[in-house]
Amino acid sequence: MRKIGAIFWLTLKSAVRSRLFAGSALLLFACMAGLPFLVKGDGTAVGEARVLIYYNIGIAGMLVGVLALLQACGAVSQEISERQIQLVRAKPVSTMHIWLGKWLGVLCVNAVLIAVAGTTTRAAIWARGLAGDDVKAEVLTARRRIAPAEERVEYEVDHLYLEMKEAGRILPESDESAIRQQLKLAIVSARTTIGPGQQRRWRMEIPTGTAPKGSGGTELRSLFNAAYRDEKPMLCSWRILSDEGDELYSVAPAAYMDGLNRLPLPEELVTEHSSLVVEFTNEETRDGRTVIFNERRGLEILVNEGGFGANMFRALLVVFIITGLVAALGLTMGAVLSFPVAVFASVGLVIASLIAHFFMATEVIPHSHDGCDHASHEEFQLEIGEKMAAGFERIIGPVFSQKPAELLSEGLLIAWEDVAGTALLLFVVYPLLLFMGGALGLGRRQLALPESF
């Protein structure tokens, strides 16, 4: 441990003395302090607070990540190019000690910068006077979001496709994947559209340990629109059922405005049941208006479980974990490559990961070639590319699925169990693999040879 501690201390002193650290710290502070006076949001205090938090935390994560990557790439590669690492390797210090010491040093710098960003953001919220009751209720809080259980549509797609094929409504040369995609979109659209007198049910799984705090800590939120927009409220009713179908709570038909609606719920519904069934009925039998729920957040239960301070700490901890993984990547690249090549390779890998994640997260309707001769060859290439992107997404997906800035700005809970799972994968498993590669590569590198590009 003393060897690792010595490398850590040398790395930390070198980072603090560098112009890169001083410039990044000043830039970070300027962005965190100046941005709140530039953002306007949607004209409301809630919107301004959300924009401020989202951009402050997002920019802080980006700047600290870039600094961590540059420092990590140069922590080993520049010492090799300047012939300084021979002084360390001449002593009984292994490549594992060097890698761990360097990584811990970069992590310490990251922690300081992230703490500065968090403190500045909290001070900016206070300086802008964003502490009203509406902001505290919507943004400066930590609410657990309980979304409806995911409904699989593959069975319905298969059933409809076979039905259409048997009826002769699908031509032999038709693109099967394109038709299935269209059927899937149609089924999802039908599930969010509720006609006059129709009902819709959602199953909600209640996480273990859900504990509402304070009065009015539990509510059902719905976001829907009428098929034809007007200012007339829509007549709707709600029922909360148990798994067995017993009615636990109900609301008589009432008028709801087009848009976002809130319905307070008794706390015992989420504390005494592991799952609930939410039933919605469109009572617009007279006017005949159709209700269309938002696909992304049409229905959810929000449970207030804590304050903003603790939630912000957990969000910054997730940012710290991600920047730690970036630092591990930079160290491994710097251990086997020269500084400019290591930076280029690291940045290229990050950009490639972003592109792969974007295309895998975006549903694209397949293109039909209409019997072209080169269709089979292009389809083969597309299939290979999709498999490669899918495999890449399995690796980098957990990194890009982390959205601390978005959750914090929405006032949504970042639970400790989620932070622990993120830390285990992104702060232990992935860095451990990079550590093994970096230590092995550094051990095999000829440190006395001149640098070649």
Side-chain angles (χ1 to χ4, degrees):
M1 290 300 294
R2 286 186 299 177
K3 299 175 183 178
I4 297 176
I7 300 295
F8 158 76
W9 182 245
L10 290 173
T11 305
L12 183 59
K13 288 196 299 182
S14 175
V16 172
R17 292 172 181 171
S18 67
R19 295 179 181 178
L20 178 63
F21 172 78
S24 300
L26 289 175
L27 178 61
L28 180 64
F29 179 78
C31 290
M32 299 300 100
L35 187 63
F37 297 96
L38 300 177
V39 299
K40 299 299 180 183
D42 57 2
T44 65
V46 172
E48 184 177 342
R50 282 178 174 166
V51 172
L52 188 156
I53 294 172
Y54 180 80
Y55 281 104
N56 263 30
I57 301 301
I59 290 176
M62 182 184 66
L63 290 178
V64 176
V66 171
L67 175 63
L69 185 64
L70 294 176
Q71 285 187 327
C73 287
V76 176
S77 61
Q78 286 187 328
E79 287 192 0
I80 295 176
S81 62
E82 296 173 1
R83 304 293 187 269
Q84 294 178 356
I85 200 168
Q86 286 88 339
L87 300 175
V88 178
R89 289 291 285 141
K91 299 178 181 180
V93 178
S94 68
T95 55
M96 295 183 180
H97 295 147
I98 295 174
W99 196 98
L100 283 175
K102 297 288 185 182
W103 187 54
L104 293 176
V106 177
L107 289 183
C108 187
V109 174
N110 292 352
V112 172
L113 293 177
I114 291 173
V116 170
T119 304
T120 308
T121 301
R122 195 67 181 93
I125 295 173
W126 174 82
R128 291 302 300 267
L130 303 175
D133 293 339
D134 53 345
V135 177
K136 289 181 179 178
E138 293 296 320
V139 182
L140 305 183
T141 183
R143 299 169 299 184
R144 184 185 294 273
R145 178 177 181 261
I146 304 174
E150 184 178 357
E151 298 176 319
R152 303 184 65 85
V153 300
E154 285 78 7
Y155 175 78
E156 293 184 52
V157 170
D158 292 339
H159 178 73
L160 285 175
Y161 182 82
L162 291 176
E163 199 174 68
M164 293 173 63
K165 193 172 184 179
E166 292 175 357
R169 296 166 59 189
I170 299 178
L171 299 176
E173 64 272 14
S174 299
D175 191 331
E176 179 180 345
S177 57
I179 295 176
R180 287 181 176 274
Q181 183 71 14
Q182 293 285 2
L183 291 174
K184 180 180 179 181
L185 294 175
I187 293 171
V188 172
S189 176
R191 288 183 176 181
T192 59
T193 305
I194 305 172
Q198 294 183 349
Q199 293 180 338
R200 174 78 164 90
R201 287 186 175 185
W202 296 267
R203 182 181 179 84
M204 318 286 281
E205 300 292 341
I206 310 300
T208 304
T210 301
K213 295 182 180 179
S215 59
T218 306
E219 65 179 20
L220 176 71
R221 289 197 177 187
S222 57
L223 180 60
F224 56 77
N225 305 106
Y228 300 98
R229 301 297 300 272
D230 54 38
E231 296 182 357
K232 291 175 57 180
M234 289 176 285
L235 199 63
C236 311
S237 63
W238 295 92
R239 288 203 308 159
I240 310 295
L241 311 173
S242 65
D243 284 337
E244 294 76 20
D246 300 327
E247 183 177 296
L248 304 175
Y249 183 75
S250 64
V251 178
Y256 291 87
M257 292 298 296
D258 185 77
L260 180 65
N261 291 275
R262 302 178 176 90
L263 176 65
L265 296 179
E267 294 182 358
E268 55 268 19
L269 288 178
V270 297
T271 57
E272 299 178 2
H273 299 85
S274 59
S275 63
L276 299 171
V277 176
V278 179
E279 180 185 274
F280 171 85
T281 304
N282 182 359
E283 305 285 354
E284 286 286 335
T285 55
R286 182 176 178 180
D287 292 339
R289 291 190 294 170
T290 298
V291 174
I292 303 174
F293 276 80
N294 183 275
E295 291 186 14
R296 179 173 174 264
R297 296 186 66 174
L299 186 76
E300 59 189 4
I301 294 177
L302 296 178
V303 183
N304 187 3
E305 289 197 24
F308 178 75
N311 206 40
M312 186 174 187
F313 176 79
R314 290 189 290 268
L316 295 176
L317 190 57
V318 173
V319 174
F320 173 73
I321 291 170
I322 296 174
T323 58
L325 176 60
V326 172
L329 173 64
L331 268 175
T332 299
M333 290 295 183
V336 297
L337 302 170
S338 62
F339 177 70
V341 179
V343 173
F344 178 81
S346 300
V347 173
L349 183 59
V350 172
I351 293 176
S353 301
L354 285 169
I355 294 174
H357 178 72
F358 172 79
F359 283 107
M360 292 305 297
T362 305
E363 291 190 5
V364 181
I365 299 177
H367 175 68
S368 177
H369 296 276
D370 296 328
C372 296
D373 295 336
H374 60 279
S376 58
H377 179 65
E378 290 189 359
E379 288 177 359
F380 175 75
Q381 290 181 328
L382 181 62
E383 183 179 356
I384 296 297
E386 287 179 350
K387 288 182 178 180
M388 292 176 62
F392 203 46
E393 173 66 12
R394 292 191 187 96
I395 300 174
I396 54 93
V399 181
F400 295 106
S401 64
Q402 307 300 320
K403 300 179 180 179
E406 180 179 338
L407 295 176
L408 189 66
S409 64
E410 292 288 336
L412 298 178
L413 175 70
I414 302 173
W416 278 113
E417 53 267 28
D418 296 332
V419 176
T422 301
L424 178 62
L425 183 62
L426 305 187
F427 206 64
V428 177
V429 177
Y430 283 8
L432 180 60
L433 296 176
L434 292 170
F435 160 70
M436 294 171 61
L440 180 62
L442 183 60
R444 291 178 175 273
R445 189 169 179 179
Q446 298 295 330
L447 303 181
L449 294 179
E451 290 291 314
S452 59
F453 298 95

